[in-house]
Amino acid sequence: MPFGDILGQTTAKRILQNSLRNDTLGHAYLFSGPAGSGQMKTALTLAQAIFCTTLKDDACGECLECRKVEHGNHPDLKILSPEGNSIKIDQIRDLQRVFSYRAEGGNPKVYIIDEAGKMTVQAANSLLKFLEEPPVPAVAVLIADNNQSLLPTIQSRTQRIPFSPLPPEMMLQELSNEGVSAPLARCAASLTSGLEGCRELLAQNWFAEIRNLVLQLAKESLGKNGSAVATAGQKLFKTGLGEHLDTCFSMFHLWFKDMLYFLYRKHESIVFIDQLDFISNHAGTRTASQWVTYMDYAAESKKKLRSNVNAQLCLEQFLIRLES
């Protein structure tokens, strides 16, 4: 895949292509930015461009070397990702063993460490010297949502390449081209920072169900008759959707923000666009400060979940606060 096929990330692509063009490629890069904003795709394109036999500063996608990367069987490319919850020292040692042999072609070898912030301390320390002085010419790409999750000594040995969240309109256009319905696409794009993240979320069977349930609960909570609490227990936890409660609260946050968007005449920013009639009829039933308070309730509930508060209790308390 050529760099031009990667959505957004103009700065990252310019830095990498200039380095390829001017033969100033670094020995180690840190692709830092929100998950799903194209880091892995860019890393693979960089690997293709390094190995490509047709182009100097890009990947043609057609030569044998490019196709080997695309099919996941290039002998000079190694990709590491967490085993379980972490990247372990044995994985780094295996990487060092593989990279003790020279590359098959005349180019440097490439290794990509996905979710590099999940390296154990032992793994990170084992990587340090190898990162700076590999036994054979090599280019490293470390991918991390937050560069601060890496040891300072690793950060100092890499060139940081910043990745930014993709503009929602760019993701929506791409998803529309793929046949995704606008209501689901707008919701997914508002909950993720990249196209791959959107696709992963949309591929989950529960995503559309959670969205429908949030709409039902949100509408019932405006009635102040207690029905939302009863519905929550019946629909959410008896159908196995309770494990996605974090996403549920995020959607509530979007719903209340939509009410504010309507009050402030920012209709183009409304996420639940298919609910515009309902929103237009109910946005004025609360003040802007009340909608902001409801957004705060949703954010507080997400924090409680992370503190291991009982999930059903957390949701019921949230809905009771909305109905009070």
Side-chain angles (χ1 to χ4, degrees), residues 24-214:
T24 56
L25 204 62
H27 72 280
Y29 293 97
L30 171 57
F31 287 7
S32 176
S37 51
Q39 294 99 316
M40 178 56 76
K41 187 173 290 185
T42 305
L44 291 171
T45 298
L46 175 61
Q48 282 184 310
I50 289 172
F51 300 139
C52 185
T53 56
T54 303
L55 302 175
K56 181 175 182 178
D57 62 350
D58 209 342
C60 73
E62 298 178 0
C63 72
L64 179 60
E65 300 298 307
C66 283
R67 284 186 280 118
K68 284 180 182 177
V69 173
E70 183 179 349
H71 297 150
N73 58 12
H74 199 291
D76 293 332
L77 173 63
K78 177 77 172 177
I79 301 175
L80 293 188
S81 55
E83 290 183 354
N85 295 322
S86 63
I87 295 174
K88 300 169 177 60
I89 189 171
D90 286 344
Q91 292 176 266
I92 302 299
R93 286 173 176 166
D94 182 60
L95 174 70
Q96 293 170 335
R97 179 187 60 78
V98 171
F99 272 63
S100 64
Y101 304 102
R102 299 197 69 82
E104 290 194 2
N107 297 300
K109 288 192 170 192
V110 178
Y111 61 96
I112 301 169
I113 302 181
D114 194 17
E115 298 184 78
K118 293 185 177 181
M119 281 188 290
T120 64
V121 174
Q122 295 87 348
N125 286 328
S126 179
L127 177 68
L128 267 174
K129 183 174 176 58
F130 179 70
L131 191 66
E132 193 165 48
E133 299 177 3
V136 297
V139 174
V141 178
L142 279 60
I143 298 173
D145 299 353
N146 178 7
N147 58 300
Q148 298 302 318
S149 62
L150 295 168
L151 292 177
T153 44
I154 287 183
Q155 294 181 49
S156 66
R157 287 165 169 78
T158 59
Q159 178 181 346
R160 183 170 174 265
I161 305 293
F163 281 73
S164 306
L166 288 177
E169 58 273 13
M170 185 180 289
M171 292 193 288
L172 290 175
Q173 182 59 56
E174 191 69 17
L175 292 171
S176 176
N177 294 340
E178 295 172 9
V180 178
S181 69
L184 283 177
R186 292 179 78 90
C187 196
S190 299
L191 293 172
T192 58
S193 56
L195 193 58
E196 292 307 313
C198 275
R199 289 176 177 138
E200 289 175 14
L201 200 55
L202 290 164
Q204 305 302 316
N205 292 329
W206 52 263
F207 182 66
E209 295 180 57
I210 282 284
R211 184 182 183 277
N212 290 336
L213 182 59
V214 165

Side-chain angles (χ1 to χ4, degrees), residues 171-284:
M171 292 193 288
L172 290 175
Q173 182 59 56
E174 191 69 17
L175 292 171
S176 176
N177 294 340
E178 295 172 9
V180 178
S181 69
L184 283 177
R186 292 179 78 90
C187 196
S190 299
L191 293 172
T192 58
S193 56
L195 193 58
E196 292 307 313
C198 275
R199 289 176 177 138
E200 289 175 14
L201 200 55
L202 290 164
Q204 305 302 316
N205 292 329
W206 52 263
F207 182 66
E209 295 180 57
I210 282 284
R211 184 182 183 277
N212 290 336
L213 182 59
V214 165
L215 287 174
Q216 181 181 350
L217 294 176
K219 292 175 181 179
E220 289 176 355
S221 68
L222 294 177
K224 295 190 174 183
N225 56 13
S227 59
V229 176
T231 301
Q234 294 171 3
K235 295 287 182 69
L236 195 68
F237 297 97
K238 292 182 180 179
T239 57
L241 296 175
E243 61 186 272
H244 307 296
L245 198 53
D246 187 84
T247 302
C248 182
F249 285 129
S250 294
M251 288 189 187
F252 270 113
H253 193 276
L254 294 175
W255 173 255
F256 301 137
K257 187 184 287 187
D258 277 356
M259 296 294 184
L260 286 176
Y261 282 144
F262 186 86
L263 290 179
Y264 292 125
R265 302 181 184 276
K266 295 184 177 180
H267 297 182
E268 72 283 353
S269 298
I270 291 176
V271 173
F272 293 94
I273 196 65
D274 57 324
Q275 303 297 315
L276 186 57
D277 286 345
F278 184 92
I279 292 171
S280 66
N281 290 328
H282 291 81

